[in-house]
Amino acid sequence: MVDRQTIDQWRNAPRLTTFSAFFERAASGQGGAPDLAEPQADMSLLDFDIEAAVLADTHRRLVGHFDSHYFASIPYRLEEQYRAGAAILAFALRIWARNASPTTIYTLGTGTGCLARTLATLGGGRIKALCCSPTAANRVAFLAKRGSDHAHFFHGPFFELDDARYAADQDLAPFREGFDILFEDTTFQMYDRDRVRQLEFIAPRIRPGGLLVQVQKLAHKDHKIYEERERQKDELFKPRYFSTRHIAEKKDEILSTMLDLQVDLPTTVSALKGFFRYSVLTWNSGNFYTIVSSNSRASVLELVSLMLKPAIPPGYCYEQLPAAIVDTKAELLAPALKWRKANTILTVAPRSLPAS
C-alpha cells in the first residue's frame, strides 16, 4: 500500500503543476502541434504487415491533437505503436478465446487514449479498454472520437484510481477485477524517480498471467551518450515535423525538468525485479525503450512472438533486441524469444493480369 505522503508528493509533481498548462495547450490544439507536417508512419518498416495495417487504419481515424505532438516528438514511435498495438490486439483476442470473457486493457497516461480506443473498436466487445489523463482536453478528444462503447476514460492522474474509486465508479465496473494488460506510457517520469513505489501502486491491478508494457525514456550513466541520442532526435528526426523554434521552446519548457525524474536502465531493472520474474526489452529508439514484464513466462513469450521485428532504422536503435533484462534461471526466457514474420500484404495481393 502506497502511503499518503507519497500520494501527496505525486499530487505536487511537475505533471500536475508546472507541466499542466503545456499539456492542456497541446491536447486542445492550441500549442505544441507539429508546424511543418503531420507524422506519417513508414509502413515499409513494418514490411507492409496486414495486422499492423489493420491497426493503423483504425488508429489513424481516432487520433487527437496530442497524438500528433507525441508521435512527431519520438523517433519512429508511431511505427512502434502500430507494431506493439497489433501484437497486443492479437494477444487480447487469444485471451478472450480461451476465457470466453472480455480482455481488460488499461493504458495509463496515454493522452487521448488513442490506442485504448483503437483496441476497443477492433475488439468489438471482446476487449474492454480504459485510459486515464489529468488533462481535460484529452477527455474532450476521447469523447469526440470514442470509437466504441467498450472504451472508457478516467479524468484524473493514475494514482487516483485506487480500490475505493474502482468500487464506487460504475463506469469502472468492468475493471474491478484487474487488467490482463497494463500499458504505462512515459508517465512515471513525470511524477517521481521512485519506480518501486510507482510499481507498488499499479502491479496489484495486473491479473495472474497478465502483462505490464512500459514505454520509458531512460537516463544513461554516460551523460554524453544520452545527449548524443537527444541530438539525433532533435536534429535529424524532429525537424521533419517541427520548426527549430518549436523544438527549442519544448526543450526549455518540458525536457529540462523531466530529465530530473528519469532513471537509468539498471535502476529500472532493479525496480522491476521486485515485482516480476521476467522483463524484456522489445524496442529502443535513442533514449526511449519499450519493456514487457510479467510473472508468466508463457505470457511474455506469447506477446513477443506476436511482435514483428522493431520497425526502426538501425541507426536509431542501440540495443540487440529482444533482450531479457529480468530472467529466472530455473526457466530461462531469453533463449526462447523470437519475433514473428510479417504477413506481408504484397505476398497476398493478386498478380497483375498479363496484357492481352
Side-chain angles (χ1 to χ4, degrees):
M1 179 68 69
V2 175
D3 59 76
R4 178 51 54 185
Q5 183 178 355
T6 299
I7 297 295
D8 290 341
Q9 182 178 332
W10 291 345
R11 201 175 297 282
N12 291 299
R15 179 61 180 85
L16 301 180
T17 54
T18 54
F19 290 172
S20 62
F22 168 82
F23 280 99
E24 195 67 49
R25 292 197 306 273
S28 61
Q30 297 177 6
D35 56 336
L36 299 182
E38 287 294 313
Q40 299 288 333
D42 181 350
M43 297 303 289
S44 71
L45 293 172
L46 292 153
D47 293 332
F48 301 101
D49 179 71
I50 293 174
E51 283 82 357
V54 169
L55 192 291
D57 180 61
T58 299
H59 189 276
R60 278 193 295 266
R61 289 182 263 139
L62 298 178
V63 295
H65 291 298
F66 185 77
D67 300 304
S68 296
H69 158 81
Y70 177 73
F71 291 119
S73 299
I74 304 174
Y76 302 95
R77 182 70 188 88
L78 184 55
E79 286 84 353
E80 170 62 7
Q81 184 91 315
Y82 296 163
R83 168 184 175 256
I88 289 171
L89 176 63
F91 183 88
L93 293 178
R94 288 183 176 202
I95 293 176
W96 166 81
R98 288 193 291 261
N99 299 339
S101 61
T103 301
T104 52
I105 299 176
Y106 174 23
T107 64
L108 186 160
T110 53
T112 71
C114 190
L115 179 59
R117 290 181 284 120
T118 299
L119 294 170
T121 300
L122 291 171
R126 294 174 288 271
I127 295 172
K128 303 281 187 180
L130 172 68
C131 68
C132 74
S133 172
T135 302
N138 280 330
R139 181 176 183 274
V140 173
F142 177 95
L143 295 175
K145 297 180 181 180
R146 187 176 179 186
S148 168
D149 291 340
H150 301 291
H152 302 264
F153 186 95
F154 175 74
H155 180 208
F158 75 94
F159 56 83
E160 290 184 355
L161 277 169
D162 54 16
D163 290 342
R165 184 62 61 96
Y166 282 106
D169 191 334
Q170 190 57 38
D171 197 44
L172 299 175
F175 312 109
R176 287 172 184 163
E177 300 305 315
F179 300 95
D180 297 295
I181 302 169
L182 199 160
F183 188 116
E184 182 259 322
D185 191 344
T186 55
T187 300
F188 285 172
Q189 64 202 44
M190 303 278 182
Y191 287 90
D192 192 2
R193 289 176 54 85
D194 193 338
R195 298 292 179 264
V196 173
R197 288 295 178 90
Q198 292 166 333
L199 290 170
E200 184 181 352
F201 187 87
I202 67 166
R205 303 302 309 177
I206 300 172
R207 288 176 170 174
L211 294 163
L212 172 65
V213 181
Q214 296 176 281
V215 178
Q216 296 275 313
K217 187 176 186 182
L218 299 182
H220 197 285
K221 64 180 180 180
D222 187 335
H223 193 65
K224 290 182 179 179
I225 292 176
Y226 179 93
E227 285 297 323
E228 181 58 35
R229 295 179 185 184
E230 286 297 282
R231 280 193 293 273
Q232 181 187 46
K233 169 173 63 71
D234 293 341
E235 297 176 11
L236 297 181
F237 181 80
K238 291 177 70 173
R240 303 175 186 185
Y241 308 110
F242 295 101
S243 64
T244 303
R245 177 177 62 84
H246 274 60
I247 294 171
E249 286 175 353
K250 184 185 177 185
K251 192 167 187 176
D252 290 340
E253 186 172 12
I254 295 292
L255 298 182
S256 298
T257 301
M258 195 173 68
L259 180 62
D260 296 334
L261 301 182
Q262 292 169 12
V263 300
D264 59 15
L265 184 57
T267 302
T268 300
V269 170
S270 178
L272 288 168
K273 281 182 176 178
F275 298 88
F276 301 103
R277 298 178 67 201
Y278 302 102
S279 293
V280 178
L281 294 179
T282 60
W283 183 73
N284 167 238
S285 172
N287 293 312
F288 292 87
Y289 294 78
T290 299
I291 306 172
V292 175
S293 302
S294 180
N295 285 310
S296 168
R297 182 177 184 274
S299 292
V300 175
L301 287 177
E302 185 171 13
L303 182 64
V304 171
S305 73
L306 293 168
M307 288 184 176
L308 298 164
K309 63 180 174 58
I312 186 168
Y316 284 84
C317 183
Y318 296 90
E319 304 286 346
Q320 291 293 320
L321 304 174
I325 54 175
V326 178
D327 212 340
T328 302
K329 290 183 179 179
E331 296 180 282
L332 281 176
L333 180 72
L337 293 169
K338 61 180 181 179
W339 310 124
R340 74 170 172 91
K341 293 182 179 180
N343 185 2
T344 303
I345 295 170
L346 298 180
T347 62
V348 297
R351 296 181 179 180
S352 299
L353 294 175
S356 57

